[in-house]
Amino acid sequence: MYDTLYISVILPLKLEWEPCYSVPHGMSSGKVETGDRVKVRFGAKEYVGTVSATGITPDIAPERIHPISSIENDLEKVLPEEIALWRKIAEYYLCSIGEVYKAAYPAMKITLEEARAAALKTARERREKIIRSMEERIARIEDRLRKKEEQIRTAREGTKKKLALEEGVAKIRKELDTAKAALEAARAGKAAPEGDGSDMNGNANEQGARLTLSQAQEKAYSEVKAGFAKGKPVMLHGVTGSGKTEIYIRLAQEAISKGKNVLYLVPEIALSRQLEDRLEEHFGERLLVFHSGITAAGRRNTAECIRNSRDGYLTLGTRSALFLPHHDLGLIIVDEEHDTSYKQDSPAPRYNGRDTALMLSLIQNSNIILGSATPSLEETYNCECGKHIMVQLKERYHGSGNADVEIIDTKAERRKKGMEGNFSRKLIDHIRKTLTDGGQVMILRSRRAWAPVLQCEECGELAKCPHCSVSLSLHKSGDLICHYCGYRTRNTGKCSRCNGSLKPLGAGTQKIEEEAAALFPDAKVARLDSDTAQNKSYETKTIKSFAKGEIDILVGTQILTKGFDFSRLSLVAVIAADTLLGLQDFRADEKALQLLEQFKGRCGRRGNRGMFVIQTSQPEHPIYQRIMAGDTECDISHLLAERKTFNFPPYSRMLEVTVRDRFEDRAERMAGKLADLLKKRFGMRPGAIAMPGSPVTGPYAPTVDRVSDQFLRCIRISLRKDRHLKEGKQAVKDIIRQFEKDGKYEDHIVIDVDPA
């Protein structure tokens, strides 16, 4: 008589519990462990799940518990550290662990794993068949040998017959030795099938020579090590061009020399591609790369190398690399920690890569360093509170360099006819001088397409997306495209309301590229934005060509502001800078300050003095003045004080609840009811108008209040960062789940913790 084994399983579904299953007697001897992959039926479908616990006591009747369909022994086990991270993420970001599992092991990844497992199984069966055939052949050869040897014993000495038999025996023995050697080779191959990724480091290159750091870098490096010795995360605040990467490499080399592994996170794929060559010089085959720009098979191979590595590796990747099967991590690097690209907007888990990296460092008991020239206010606050340690690196690696700043008032320039299209004549002169001197130019425009808006000259109607409350953007191809839902239609040039003529307003990157090519016909002009970035080979080629000096002028969106290092770049310019400001977002000034400071830092490298030009119709704006004065530290202090006054993050924990419904009146009504429940729980009168610092604000319609035929209403909740924070977050989740259940309103409400 056997006791039934019950297990709990994590499924890739939005479930608030982990279903219980039984393991049939005799299935792999009933041996199931935490982390094993099992196939189970849930509802009408089968899923591959992960065993989260074994030997549990069910809280439902045994007859209601379904058996698992199979144990997927050919799929890799999930490590305990992976499950621990999933639980942390689910708890912090108020989602289910199943949603985190789905992000870590998406359907495509599982399909590839299953396909590979099936291929390996076929290969094993084929090898076993070959081995059996070889064994049978050896048995036949041995039988022939015995018969020949028996004939030799009965033959008379010295006869031709006996000599012939002896020659035949020698040949058979040689044939037998060859067959046995082939059998041993086949059996050895059976233990480790070719290409299984079992040991990536067998031929790994030795790490590159120890880097020579400048005096300022050595000082910062020592302070980082001292911070690690205290067991705290370190924030490396290094000005652009100060050589933060060299410090990262030195720290990574040390970790790997101790047999530890390293995770190096960057916010964008483009930045990863520029770093790859540089890191390969130092880490050779120890360098692994993981992001959505490489093939699914390539990502799978990277995951296998990490899982099976027996020596140190460095993984370079974007935020999704956090979900790899890491073990023995000695160091985590989060470069450009301030970048909003680290934030996952949709679907759940809506996590921030920076904060998740901090969770992972605790689970792995590893050191973690965050770096930026423009630290986020959250990181600045963490350092002021003593939770993290701030290390300053204020000297540029190749000397002073830096950039002069010039603000050009486009309103004044237009009055005196000083504009040619979207370029002021002052900027044109700066570009000409830069090109004449052999330098390169980057031009930032925050809007892609050819024209962001089309307006009817007769009735004033804007060409809008039929599914979203936004204007359609005109692309050079002649298509009108919605940058929210992807809706696309041909531009007829006629207003759908009155049949009047549609006139393009404003300029996107495509138009700026076109104007630059016309103004500077001898220059090589290229563009880099999310449209061109869809072609990964084009993106990589463009970045490499610009780095080699084969492109003179590069036009693009915010992707240009990332941590690129181009030695000949001496002029950077922002066109229509005002679109970076005025957003209905309490983080707007912080984001604009970071973006402009980062972009300014792209030029003036290698000790050369660069120039930063801002074209704006608001030259008096404080952000521009701070950039011009080089006094961003004062601005950070001002922004922190402002956040504290209004109880905004980092002085509170903010949750944004979004109600989505295809009926506007129902979205408004349900959001109002939910807001009243939340206000009641957090000590406010239902229906009360929120004042600055109120715990619950809304519901309100966001700037874009309709996306993909779904009307949106938002509620913001500010929770104090005290001992009741966890309880408060859980209360929000419980209220929403009960509200969904009572109103039969599932799948209409989204919770975003720490919205970007």
Side-chain angles (χ1 to χ4, degrees):
M1 186 71 181
Y2 298 96
D3 291 331
T4 301
L5 177 66
Y6 295 105
I7 61 173
S8 58
V9 178
I10 300 169
L11 298 178
L13 300 170
K14 184 181 176 181
L15 301 174
E16 295 303 321
W17 78 98
E18 293 167 29
C20 175
Y21 289 89
S22 64
V23 180
H25 297 309
M27 185 178 284
S28 293
S29 303
K31 187 179 179 183
V32 180
E33 298 176 345
T34 299
D36 280 344
R37 313 282 284 285
V38 293
K39 190 165 283 186
V40 301
R41 182 164 288 278
F42 187 88
K45 293 182 68 176
E46 271 199 335
Y47 298 92
V48 174
T50 298
V51 178
S52 57
T54 63
I56 66 170
T57 302
D59 56 3
I60 58 174
E63 59 269 18
R64 295 178 57 196
I65 299 174
H66 296 287
I68 64 174
S69 302
S70 62
I71 301 171
E72 300 297 289
N73 290 318
D74 290 326
L75 299 185
E76 297 287 0
K77 286 182 68 168
V78 174
L79 301 178
E81 295 92 336
E82 293 180 84
I83 297 176
L85 181 63
W86 300 351
R87 293 200 188 284
K88 279 270 189 186
I89 293 172
E91 178 187 340
Y92 186 88
Y93 290 102
L94 301 182
C95 62
S96 69
I97 192 171
E99 289 171 299
V100 185
Y101 169 49
K102 187 176 181 179
Y105 286 79
M108 175 65 76
K109 180 177 179 180
I110 292 174
T111 301
L112 281 169
E113 285 184 314
E114 290 177 324
R116 181 178 182 278
L120 286 175
K121 183 180 179 182
T122 301
R124 281 197 301 270
E125 290 173 349
R126 185 167 58 247
R127 187 176 291 112
E128 287 166 0
K129 184 177 179 181
I130 291 170
I131 288 170
R132 285 195 300 272
S133 176
M134 286 180 171
E135 288 172 340
E136 290 169 359
R137 180 176 174 235
I138 288 171
R140 289 195 299 271
I141 294 172
E142 288 175 335
D143 187 55
R144 282 167 53 208
L145 182 62
R146 280 193 300 273
K147 289 178 179 177
K148 289 287 183 185
E149 287 174 336
E150 182 62 31
Q151 289 174 350
I152 288 175
R153 280 195 292 271
T154 59
R156 284 190 303 164
E157 290 291 333
T159 62
K160 289 183 179 180
K161 181 181 178 182
K162 188 164 187 176
L163 291 173
L165 286 170
E166 286 174 347
E167 284 181 14
V169 164
K171 288 180 181 179
I172 292 172
R173 282 177 176 160
K174 188 175 181 180
E175 184 182 353
L176 180 61
D177 289 341
T178 302
K180 285 182 175 179
L183 177 61
E184 288 305 311
R187 283 173 174 164
K190 179 183 178 183
E194 184 180 351
D196 72 342
S198 60
D199 186 358
M200 69 163 189
N201 293 312
N203 298 309
N205 295 343
E206 291 299 317
Q207 293 186 72
R210 186 178 175 86
L211 286 167
T212 301
L213 303 182
S214 68
Q215 188 175 352
Q217 286 174 318
E218 284 285 1
K219 181 175 182 295
Y221 166 78
S222 298
E223 291 176 4
V224 169
K225 295 286 287 183
F228 287 167
K230 293 178 182 177
K232 291 188 176 184
V234 174
M235 174 67 225
L236 180 58
H237 180 188
V239 298
T240 50
S242 58
K244 295 186 289 295
T245 306
E246 283 79 7
I247 294 176
Y248 298 153
I249 291 172
R250 170 79 73 83
L251 293 167
Q253 286 178 329
E254 285 191 356
I256 291 175
S257 69
K258 295 174 183 176
K260 294 289 186 177
N261 303 314
V262 179
L263 174 60
Y264 192 142
L265 293 178
V266 290
E268 293 275 4
I269 294 173
L271 196 52
S272 168
R273 289 197 172 102
Q274 195 190 36
L275 267 173
E276 280 179 44
D277 293 342
R278 190 171 178 186
L279 292 176
E280 193 168 15
E281 292 176 12
H282 297 279
F283 299 99
E285 292 179 25
R286 295 179 188 270
L287 174 65
L288 303 171
V289 181
F290 189 91
H291 52 65
S292 60
I294 60 178
T295 64
R299 295 197 298 274
R300 182 204 68 204
N301 290 338
T302 294
E304 286 183 357
C305 286
I306 288 172
R307 190 186 301 278
N308 298 310
S309 69
R310 301 183 185 95
D311 204 350
Y313 63 80
L314 183 148
T315 303
L316 173 67
T318 50
R319 63 174 185 256
S320 59
L322 287 159
F323 293 115
L324 289 166
H326 297 293
H327 57 90
D328 298 318
L329 277 180
L331 176 67
I332 300 175
I333 301 162
V334 184
D335 198 18
E336 308 294 343
E337 64 80 24
H338 68 279
D339 201 298
T340 54
S341 296
Y342 278 122
K343 175 67 174 178
Q344 163 83 1
D345 293 321
S346 187
R350 292 170 175 81
Y351 67 101
N352 187 303
R354 173 197 63 209
D355 299 331
T356 304
L358 288 164
M359 297 177 195
L360 181 61
S361 71
L362 290 173
I363 291 168
Q364 295 274 345
N365 193 28
S366 70
N367 294 321
I368 180 168
I369 181 169
L370 305 99
S372 177
T374 54
S376 61
L377 293 188
E378 280 76 8
E379 261 311 294
T380 303
Y381 173 79
N382 284 335
C383 293
E384 287 182 357
C385 293
K387 289 174 65 178
H388 299 178
I389 291 176
M390 177 77 77
V391 173
Q392 300 280 358
L393 184 57
K394 295 189 174 182
E395 290 183 17
R396 286 196 158 201
Y397 186 69
H398 292 282
S400 58
N402 219 323
D404 297 316
V405 181
E406 182 175 344
I407 298 175
I408 298 174
D409 184 349
T410 51
K411 287 189 300 184
E413 292 303 309
R414 282 195 173 88
R415 281 196 301 269
K416 59 187 182 185
K417 295 183 170 40
M419 299 288 293
E420 291 190 31
N422 290 281
F423 288 77
S424 66
R425 291 207 176 101
K426 290 180 180 178
L427 176 56
I428 292 170
D429 290 341
H430 287 312
I431 294 174
R432 280 184 179 143
K433 183 178 186 307
T434 299
L435 297 177
T436 300
D437 293 342
Q440 291 173 292
V441 180
M442 261 190 185
I443 300 171
L444 170 66
R445 174 67 175 107
S446 63
R447 302 280 175 83
R448 57 190 171 109
W450 196 83
V453 178
L454 283 178
Q455 186 174 35
C456 178
E457 293 183 297
E458 302 296 326
C459 68
E461 182 79 1
L462 300 178
K464 286 194 171 182
C465 173
H467 308 289
C468 308
S469 58
V470 293
S471 298
L472 292 168
S473 296
L474 175 63
H475 284 243
K476 203 170 180 178
S477 62
D479 286 343
L480 293 173
I481 301 174
C482 174
H483 291 164
Y484 279 78
C485 72
Y487 171 81
R488 179 188 297 257
T489 186
R490 291 297 293 175
N491 175 32
T492 64
K494 296 295 181 181
C495 174
S496 59
R497 182 178 175 184
C498 72
N499 210 37
S501 297
L502 291 174
K503 178 184 178 182
L505 299 179
T509 50
Q510 290 180 346
K511 189 173 183 181
I512 299 299
E513 177 191 25
E514 191 176 279
E515 290 184 1
L519 288 167
F520 310 101
D522 296 329
K524 172 70 174 174
V525 182
R527 176 168 51 90
L528 196 62
D529 54 28
S530 55
D531 290 326
T532 61
Q534 290 175 11
N535 184 336
K536 302 304 179 186
S537 60
Y538 172 86
E539 181 188 46
T540 303
K541 183 180 176 182
T542 300
I543 293 168
K544 287 186 176 180
S545 295
F546 195 75
K548 292 176 183 176
E550 296 169 354
I551 294 172
D552 302 304
I553 301 173
L554 185 59
V555 178
T557 50
Q558 281 90 331
I559 195 171
L560 299 183
T561 67
K562 311 301 180 183
F564 294 117
D565 184 6
F566 300 117
S567 59
R568 290 178 53 194
L569 179 59
S570 48
L571 172 64
V572 294
V574 186
I575 286 180
D578 304 327
T579 54
L580 303 173
L581 306 171
L583 301 174
Q584 291 184 356
D585 179 5
F586 70 92
R587 299 184 193 273
D589 282 358
E590 177 193 8
K591 290 177 181 176
L593 187 69
Q594 289 169 340
L595 187 143
L596 292 170
E597 190 65 30
Q598 287 282 337
F599 194 44
K600 173 188 171 187
R602 294 312 107 215
C603 69
R605 300 280 177 127
R606 307 298 188 274
N608 300 314
R609 193 134 189 109
M611 171 163 276
F612 182 32
V613 177
I614 301 173
Q615 286 195 170
T616 172
S617 59
Q618 305 176 61
E620 69 289 343
H621 196 285
I623 292 290
Y624 302 144
Q625 295 303 317
R626 294 289 188 196
I627 292 286
M628 191 165 188
D631 188 16
T632 55
E633 295 294 327
C634 180
D635 223 35
I636 293 296
S637 299
H638 171 74
L639 290 173
L640 276 171
E642 194 176 68
R643 297 275 187 91
K644 189 173 184 179
T645 300
F646 293 103
N647 194 35
F648 282 151
Y651 297 95
S652 65
R653 178 73 66 223
M654 182 171 282
L655 282 65
E656 186 171 77
V657 178
T658 303
V659 176
R660 300 177 174 180
D661 203 306
R662 60 194 181 96
F663 300 110
E664 186 173 16
D665 58 341
R666 188 166 66 180
E668 188 77 40
R669 185 176 70 255
M670 297 301 278
K673 287 181 179 179
L674 179 57
D676 284 346
L677 289 172
L678 292 166
K679 287 175 181 178
K680 185 177 180 181
R681 167 60 178 80
F682 293 102
M684 293 177 66
R685 180 171 55 82
I689 297 175
M691 302 297 288
S694 296
V696 181
T697 304
Y700 61 89
T703 306
V704 179
D705 64 355
R706 181 167 166 255
V707 176
S708 299
D709 293 319
Q710 296 282 314
F711 290 93
L712 312 179
R713 293 296 182 269
C714 297
I715 304 165
R716 279 200 166 174
I717 305 157
S718 296
L719 301 176
R720 293 186 180 279
K721 295 170 81 171
D722 56 22
R723 60 190 178 90
H724 299 296
L725 175 59
K726 186 176 178 180
E727 174 191 330
K729 287 174 66 178
Q730 187 59 44
V732 171
K733 184 177 180 181
D734 291 343
I735 289 168
I736 290 172
R737 296 296 174 253
Q738 193 61 45
F739 179 77
E740 289 177 319
K741 184 178 178 181
D742 293 344
K744 294 182 174 55
Y745 204 59
E746 284 84 359
D747 300 324
H748 285 276
I749 302 174
V750 167
I751 307 173
D752 188 4
V753 179
D754 301 337

